[in-house]
Amino acid sequence: MDNFGLLLDEWRVAVDKEVNGKCQPTLLLSAATYYKPVIPWDVVHRYPVESIDKNLDWINAMCYDYHGPWTREDPTGTLAALFEPTGTLADLFDPTGHISTSGGLQSWIGAGIGRKKLVMGLPLYGRSWRLQNPTVNGLGAPAVGAGPGGEEGYMSYAQVNQFNGQVNARAVFDEATQSYYSVAGPYWITYDTVATMTRKMAYAMGLGIGGYFFWDTSNDQGCQFSRPGTH
């Protein structure tokens, strides 16, 4: 992360130098980042927030993939909760606290990044699980791996809607986290809807941050965009 900060310093000098005395705009510099400025994996990494704020025009905070069927033992959880789960769910999903979009954005602001340089990510896809017991199907339900969508249960928003309609899935809104999930027999899917995205956009506007982005538009309902490398 120290070297990343130095790299940003060098890039800013380079792009400013490039346009010196020329009638052309300066290149924009941005980065896609973790949803918060600290990555608490096996080794804790802290983003060089001071260098980011000084040198980048904005960052795209990836406010999604908070939970997924990464291993066969992972329980169901929210893909991109706006707020933290409460009670026993909080202990199950996040013993250290603050796995949520609101927590991530607030932590970036608290670390010193300018609000207008902070952009909130919105997922146009879902993650699926196969339940251990179809009758135990709420948030935090035991699972035995990924459901529809392959090894990591990846389903586009269009595929989620199609699946929900084909199998008459039961859609559930979780008020605490402001997130949706669907249940159909042994399958469980977490995703965002128009309603949850609208609430997230309102939250972002209330924070006064730079905006929001989608990952990615090719996953949207009725969208005809092709993926990179395809036609």
Side-chain angles (χ1 to χ4, degrees):
M1 285 298 188
D2 290 339
N3 287 335
F4 181 50
L6 295 175
L7 177 63
L8 299 184
D9 291 338
E10 294 177 2
W11 274 352
R12 176 51 62 189
V13 170
V15 298
D16 288 345
K17 181 179 179 181
E18 183 183 49
V19 297
N20 186 29
K22 301 177 183 177
C23 295
Q24 65 184 51
T26 305
L27 288 174
L28 294 170
L29 293 178
S30 66
T33 69
Y34 196 54
Y35 81 101
K36 63 181 181 179
V38 177
I39 304 177
W41 295 345
D42 293 339
V43 176
V44 175
H45 301 282
R46 299 180 184 276
Y47 279 97
V49 178
E50 182 177 355
S51 178
I52 287 174
D53 191 59
K54 179 177 68 174
N55 295 306
L56 295 184
D57 293 285
W58 73 83
I59 62 168
N60 286 338
M62 296 184 286
C63 299
Y64 37 76
D65 275 349
Y66 300 153
H67 304 100
W70 320 128
T71 70
R72 290 183 61 85
E73 293 76 26
D74 286 334
T76 62
T78 57
L79 174 72
L82 178 56
F83 300 116
E84 299 169 45
T86 57
T88 55
L89 287 179
D91 296 331
L92 173 64
F93 291 140
D94 186 17
T96 60
H98 310 299
I99 293 186
S100 68
T101 293
S102 58
L105 297 176
Q106 292 280 8
S107 63
W108 272 110
I109 294 169
I113 195 168
R115 290 176 185 254
K116 292 301 181 183
K117 293 194 174 186
L118 182 58
V119 180
M120 175 185 68
L122 297 167
L124 281 173
Y125 64 94
R127 294 284 185 184
S128 71
W129 283 257
R130 186 179 182 91
L131 297 170
Q132 186 180 92
N133 181 350
T135 65
V136 181
N137 52 34
L139 281 172
V144 293
E151 184 177 349
E152 294 189 343
Y154 185 97
M155 301 177 70
S156 71
Y157 179 63
Q159 289 172 328
V160 171
N161 281 333
Q162 183 181 37
F163 178 85
N164 286 347
Q166 287 178 341
V167 301
N168 195 27
R170 177 171 60 91
V172 180
F173 175 65
D174 183 67
E175 182 72 33
T177 59
Q178 294 287 296
S179 60
Y180 264 94
Y181 62 89
S182 288
V183 181
Y187 300 122
W188 196 100
I189 308 170
T190 175
Y191 55 97
D192 262 339
T193 66
V194 172
T196 57
M197 286 193 175
T198 299
R199 296 184 188 203
K200 287 181 178 180
M201 292 173 185
Y203 182 84
M205 292 173 67
L207 278 183
I209 63 174
Y212 38 84
F213 74 96
F214 297 96
W215 185 263
D216 64 52
T217 53
S218 65
N219 288 327
D220 201 2
Q221 184 72 29
C223 185
Q224 299 302 309
F225 292 108
S226 61
R227 292 185 177 276
T230 64
H231 301 280

